[in-house]
Amino acid sequence: AQSVTQLGSHVSVSEGALVLLRCNYSSSVPPYLFWYVQYPNQGLQLLLKYTSAATLVKGINGFEAEFKKSETSFHLTKPSAHMSDAAEYFCAARSHNQGGKLIFGQGTELSVKP
Amino acid sequence: SQTIHQWPATLVQPVGSPLSLECTVEGTSNPNLYWYRQAAGRGLQLLFYSVGIGQISSEVPQNLSASRPQDRQFILSSKKLLLSDSGFYLCAWSGRTSGDQTDTQYFGPGTRLTVL
């Protein structure tokens, strides 16, 4: 069965430092992949998605993610963290077949220190 | 553009009381609709999804139920709430377009339910 693993339930970085949030998927065929951000007491907001058109995907708020088939990974990065980036981040995957459900990772809480 | 609404935003209910949470989507037709629950400190759990009016699939057996009386309306209900029903309830919609076959899900603002 397909699964999504986010390494590290909590990541802390200093303001201005690189943000790296890890996500690995397990499926025989590369799925569609998504990153969502959730601020406290809010819904999930789509950051970016991988659709097989390009392996490097740019999203909102300066985030980007690179799909690596050989590593079954879709890590999220941002060159310079802002205080406003502090939130929960979820990686998710969905198979290409119609009706495939969205499988979420457990989430990574990002803290940004001044 | 499409928007998704949920209400109420917050709700405090006693154990054993009924529940009705509503979700509506604007700006699209025949969306797929989803209910998720997010318990404190945990990930998202898919509760129900619907591909059309009156078509509901349940993912987790429990004392909750869902209905879709109209194309863009999705309701989550319970006859008797349990303490374990507390959590953050999220509604989402998705839909395929000619330019996007990913069936991306877009989430509403959520309802915070506290059962006492």
Side-chain angles (χ1 to χ4, degrees):
Chain A
Q2 183 170 261
S3 65
V4 175
T5 302
Q6 291 183 239
L7 296 177
S9 59
H10 190 100
V11 171
S12 181
V13 301
S14 298
E15 191 174 18
L18 171 71
V19 176
L20 171 60
L21 304 182
R22 301 177 186 273
C23 173
N24 288 86
Y25 67 91
S26 66
S27 65
S28 56
V29 176
Y32 296 124
L33 293 160
F34 308 83
W35 274 101
Y36 289 89
V37 61
Q38 184 181 32
Y39 299 100
N41 291 312
Q42 294 186 27
L44 276 68
Q45 180 182 7
L46 181 68
L47 276 177
L48 49 80
K49 60 184 175 183
Y50 167 72
T51 63
S52 74
T55 57
L56 184 62
V57 182
K58 294 187 182 298
I60 62 172
N61 302 339
F63 284 93
E64 63 182 34
E66 186 173 9
F67 171 74
K68 292 186 177 180
K69 183 177 180 180
S70 61
E71 299 178 7
T72 62
S73 68
F74 190 55
H75 301 332
L76 182 70
T77 61
K78 182 174 180 177
S80 176
H82 295 165
M83 296 297 292
S84 60
D85 294 328
E88 185 94 19
Y89 291 80
F90 291 94
C91 182
R94 194 182 76 76
S95 65
H96 288 223
N97 65 302
Q98 193 166 356
K101 297 181 180 64
L102 196 58
I103 307 300
F104 283 91
Q106 282 300 102
T108 297
E109 184 180 356
L110 175 66
S111 300
V112 182
K113 299 175 291 185
Chain B
S1 64
Q2 300 86 6
T3 56
I4 178 169
H5 305 279
Q6 288 186 244
W7 64 87
T10 60
L11 191 60
V12 180
Q13 292 284 94
V15 170
S17 64
L19 173 74
S20 181
L21 303 181
E22 189 165 344
C23 170
T24 58
V25 181
E26 297 177 354
T28 186
S29 59
N30 196 30
N32 297 324
L33 296 172
Y34 310 82
W35 278 112
Y36 290 87
R37 178 169 58 200
Q38 194 175 26
R42 302 183 67 179
L44 289 96
Q45 179 186 34
L46 179 63
L47 301 175
F48 301 95
Y49 69 95
S50 171
V51 298
I53 296 174
Q55 300 178 64
I56 309 294
S57 295
S58 174
E59 289 296 301
V60 182
Q62 55 206 326
N63 69 320
L64 298 173
S65 61
S67 62
R68 184 169 177 175
Q70 300 180 42
D71 181 44
R72 290 168 289 176
Q73 183 184 33
F74 205 23
I75 298 173
L76 183 69
S77 304
S78 175
K79 294 181 178 179
K80 290 185 177 182
L81 283 168
L82 307 173
L83 286 173
S84 57
D85 291 324
S86 293
F88 194 51
Y89 287 81
L90 290 161
C91 181
W93 76 271
S94 71
R96 295 174 188 267
T97 66
S98 59
D100 183 6
Q101 294 295 303
T102 63
D103 208 24
T104 300
Q105 290 188 24
Y106 298 93
F107 287 79
T111 295
R112 174 73 60 190
L113 172 66
T114 303
V115 182
L116 302 175

